[in-house]
């Protein structure tokens, strides 16, 4: 079975305008998607920097003159790759389109004065969520996704055992070879320890000092390791929402995993399941609109907390969301924040038969129905 990706047509349209970067976790389907796009062209060429023969073609730019699409895979591993792409893009004929893919966080280069500024569009390819598969492919997609995660291989595996075998190999690859791109081999064991500790902290405020004590390194080192795990698309971070943006930087963030299948606690796994769907919603909406949408959470000094908050680039709250496995009574904290900020509150419940609105205006929604209708 082949699972089509929602961003496919958007990428084809953007290739006519600028370079396109497809970024996202390893084994999420970037190479597969790029090769599907390749079929739309008459004379394309696929070049992977990890391949010795391809590397020579890339360095010497000795592709045939009549090609109409160049796909550069893993090009971020090339020294001064940004300047290289700028040179290729600025000197190529208009008839040649360029598609770039990679697993490390290539979107981290969006900086003022960057040599590639104005020359590319970014499209994030993230694991499947309910909004992308709904019931087109599976009869109970919410159950399958929650159990296996949205990565294509475990999702399509013949059984849960095969999905778990994939997860074991995937984790080893990420925490071995991929980590070495960012850090020397002596630090890999400490990063593995941080990774193992983070699996039990999903949805909780992240204390760098607490993890530092457990691992035996400094808080700044832990922060650096967390940034590496984020850069490798192993985790994503959400920060507390506040009207004063600078204050949110000082507060403890929360972390979630792209592959939430590794989480054993049912409540934490479901919260991560919802978090990824909301995060993907904001990322893809930002990609397609050119405006920034963000996912955060709400928390007061009195420890009142709501799992998630969607907000725009003007820092205006759009919606606040609480994730529950089976509680159909509206959260008092959700009601508090909804009234305080005059914003729509939604309680997303996994086991819920009848949707309703609480007396104080909180929408109590079935998780499947709510998440499959998120815009992507």
């Amino acid at each position: 079975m082949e699972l089509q990706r929602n961003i496919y047509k958007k990428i084809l349209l953007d290739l006519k305008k600028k370079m396109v970067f497809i970024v996202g976790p390893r084994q999420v389907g970037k190479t597969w998607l790029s090769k599907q796009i390749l079929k739309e062209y008459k004379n394309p060429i696929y070049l992977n920097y990890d391949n010795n023969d391809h590397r020579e073609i890339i360095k010497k730019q000795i592709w045939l003159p009549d090609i109409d699409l160049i796909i550069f895979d893993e090009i971020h591993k090339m020294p001064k790759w940004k300047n290289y792409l700028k040179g290729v893009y600025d000197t190529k004929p208009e008839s040649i389109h360029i598609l770039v893919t990679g697993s490390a966080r290539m979107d981290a280069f969006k900086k003022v004065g960057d040599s590639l500024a104005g020359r590319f569009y970014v499209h994030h390819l993230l694991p499947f969520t309910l909004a992308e598969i709904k019931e087109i492919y599976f009869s109970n997609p919410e159950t399958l996704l929650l159990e296996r995660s949205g990565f294509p291989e475990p999702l399509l595996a013949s059984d849960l055992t095969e999905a778990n075998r994939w997860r074991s190999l995937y984790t080893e690859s990420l925490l071995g070879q991929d980590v070495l791109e960012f850090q020397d081999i002596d630090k890999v064991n400490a990063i593995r320890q941080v990774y193992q500790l983070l699996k039990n902290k999903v949805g909780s405020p992240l204390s760098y000092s607490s993890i530092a004590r457990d691992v035996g390194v400094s808080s700044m080192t832990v922060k650096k390791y967390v940034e590496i795990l984020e850069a490798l698309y192993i985790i994503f971070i959400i920060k507390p929402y506040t009207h004063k943006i600078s204050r949110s930087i000082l507060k403890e963030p929360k972390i979630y995993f792209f592959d939430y299948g590794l989480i054993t606690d049912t409540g934490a796994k479901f919260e991560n399941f919802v978090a990824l769907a909301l995060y993907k919603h904001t990322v893809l909406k930002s990609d397609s609109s050119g405006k920034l949408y963000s996912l955060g959470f709400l928390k007061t000094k009195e420890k009142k907390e709501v799992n998630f908050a969607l907000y725009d680039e003007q820092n205006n709250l759009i919606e606040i969301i609480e994730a529950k496995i089976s509680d159909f009574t509206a959260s008092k904290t959700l009601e508090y924040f909804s009234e305080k900020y005059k914003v729509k509150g939604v309680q997303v419940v996994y086991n819920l038969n009848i949707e309703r609105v609480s007396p104080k205006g909180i929408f109590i929604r079935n998780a499947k129905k709510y998440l499959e209708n998120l815009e992507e």
Side-chain angles (χ1 to χ4, degrees):
M1 181 192 299
E2 288 188 349
L3 303 179
Q4 297 300 318
R5 306 307 305 245
N6 284 357
I7 64 173
Y8 181 81
K9 292 182 180 178
K10 294 177 182 179
I11 291 173
L12 287 176
L13 289 172
D14 279 349
L15 279 169
K16 298 175 182 178
K17 306 167 189 174
K18 297 184 180 184
M19 265 190 295
V20 171
F21 286 72
I22 303 177
V23 297
R26 189 172 292 283
Q27 294 188 38
V28 79
K30 296 185 300 301
T31 298
W32 178 87
L33 179 60
S34 66
K35 290 185 176 179
Q36 292 298 111
I37 290 169
L38 178 146
K39 296 175 183 177
E40 301 279 351
Y41 288 79
K42 291 182 179 179
N43 297 303
I45 185 171
Y46 170 82
L47 299 170
N48 189 319
Y49 192 75
D50 286 338
N51 181 293
N52 288 333
D53 293 334
H54 291 192
R55 195 179 302 141
E56 284 303 303
I57 296 173
I58 292 171
K59 289 179 178 178
K60 297 177 181 178
Q61 300 185 31
I62 50 176
W63 45 77
L64 295 174
D66 64 342
I67 63 167
D68 50 5
L69 173 70
I70 307 174
I71 297 175
F72 292 112
D73 201 354
E74 303 293 340
I75 192 70
H76 66 279
K77 296 177 181 178
M78 179 182 187
K80 300 182 179 179
W81 62 274
K82 289 187 287 185
N83 286 334
Y84 171 84
L85 285 179
K86 177 180 180 295
V88 173
Y89 182 79
D90 288 350
T91 58
K92 72 174 182 64
E94 286 188 14
S95 57
I96 296 179
H97 297 164
I98 297 177
L99 180 65
V100 182
T101 73
S103 298
R105 191 171 287 277
M106 295 175 67
D107 52 347
F109 58 68
K110 290 192 276 187
K111 302 172 184 175
V112 176
D114 194 289
S115 61
L116 289 172
R119 294 173 171 84
F120 65 93
Y121 288 122
V122 172
H123 286 274
H124 289 79
L125 188 66
L126 300 177
F128 284 99
T129 52
L130 281 169
E132 192 167 15
I133 63 172
K134 301 184 181 180
E135 292 183 340
I136 298 172
Y137 303 100
F138 307 104
S139 58
N140 295 299
E142 72 280 15
T143 303
L144 199 65
L145 277 172
L146 188 58
E147 179 182 69
R148 301 186 178 188
S149 89
F151 282 80
E153 193 168 336
L155 189 60
L156 296 173
S158 57
D159 54 42
L160 185 56
T161 299
E162 285 301 308
N164 289 335
R165 290 180 71 188
W166 169 86
R167 179 158 294 109
S168 177
L169 293 171
Y170 180 70
T171 302
E172 279 302 308
S173 173
L174 288 174
L175 295 179
Q177 179 183 352
D178 286 10
V179 164
L180 290 176
E181 291 183 24
F182 290 83
Q183 195 62 261
D184 61 70
I185 195 166
D186 293 335
K187 307 297 191 301
V188 171
N189 187 52
I191 293 177
R192 285 173 179 267
Q193 288 180 276
V194 170
Y195 165 83
Q196 292 297 334
L197 290 168
L198 290 178
K199 288 198 296 183
N200 296 317
K201 298 185 182 298
V202 166
S204 301
L206 182 60
S207 170
Y208 294 115
S209 58
S210 174
I211 296 175
R213 286 193 297 271
D214 291 339
V215 179
V217 295
S218 70
S219 296
M220 288 304 297
T221 298
V222 170
K223 188 173 187 295
K224 180 180 179 182
Y225 291 169
V226 168
E227 288 171 352
I228 290 173
L229 295 175
E230 185 185 18
L232 288 171
Y233 285 95
I234 295 174
I235 62 171
F236 59 96
I237 292 174
I238 71 171
K239 297 176 181 178
Y241 169 84
T242 174
H243 282 303
K244 295 181 180 179
I245 298 175
S246 60
R247 286 179 59 192
S248 71
I249 298 172
L250 301 176
K251 293 184 180 180
E252 295 176 330
K254 297 197 295 185
I255 69 103
Y256 296 94
F257 285 79
F258 284 100
D259 175 26
Y260 51 77
L262 54 80
I263 302 168
T264 55
D265 180 82
T266 303
K269 179 183 262 190
F270 178 65
E271 184 176 330
N272 201 138
F273 173 77
V274 174
L276 179 59
L278 294 170
Y279 176 79
K280 184 177 176 183
H281 165 69
T282 60
V283 169
L284 297 193
K285 194 171 181 181
S286 299
D287 286 349
S288 60
S289 69
K291 298 178 181 178
L292 181 63
Y293 293 87
S294 300
L295 176 65
F297 66 95
L298 296 173
K299 188 172 184 179
T300 67
K301 293 179 181 178
E302 295 76 30
K303 308 298 182 183
K304 291 180 178 178
E305 183 176 338
V306 167
N307 294 148
F308 307 111
L310 300 175
Y311 56 99
D312 63 20
E313 60 186 3
Q314 279 80 43
N315 211 38
N316 298 314
L317 278 174
I318 300 169
E319 192 168 288
I320 57 176
I321 303 102
E322 185 76 5
K324 299 284 188 180
I325 289 288
S326 57
D327 191 353
F328 56 84
T329 302
S331 159
K332 297 296 183 184
T333 310
L334 188 59
E335 290 178 338
Y336 166 80
F337 279 115
S338 179
E339 184 176 351
K340 177 181 179 180
Y341 289 113
K342 309 300 179 192
V343 64
K344 180 180 179 181
V346 182
Q347 187 159 303
V348 180
V349 185
Y350 185 69
N351 295 310
L352 182 72
N353 294 322
I354 302 174
E355 298 184 311
R356 68 201 70 152
V357 180
S358 77
K360 291 193 176 181
I362 298 300
F363 291 80
I364 301 175
R365 299 289 312 277
N366 172 273
K368 179 177 180 292
K369 290 182 179 179
Y370 175 79
L371 297 175
E372 71 181 9
N373 287 302
L374 284 175
E375 178 187 348
E376 287 199 351

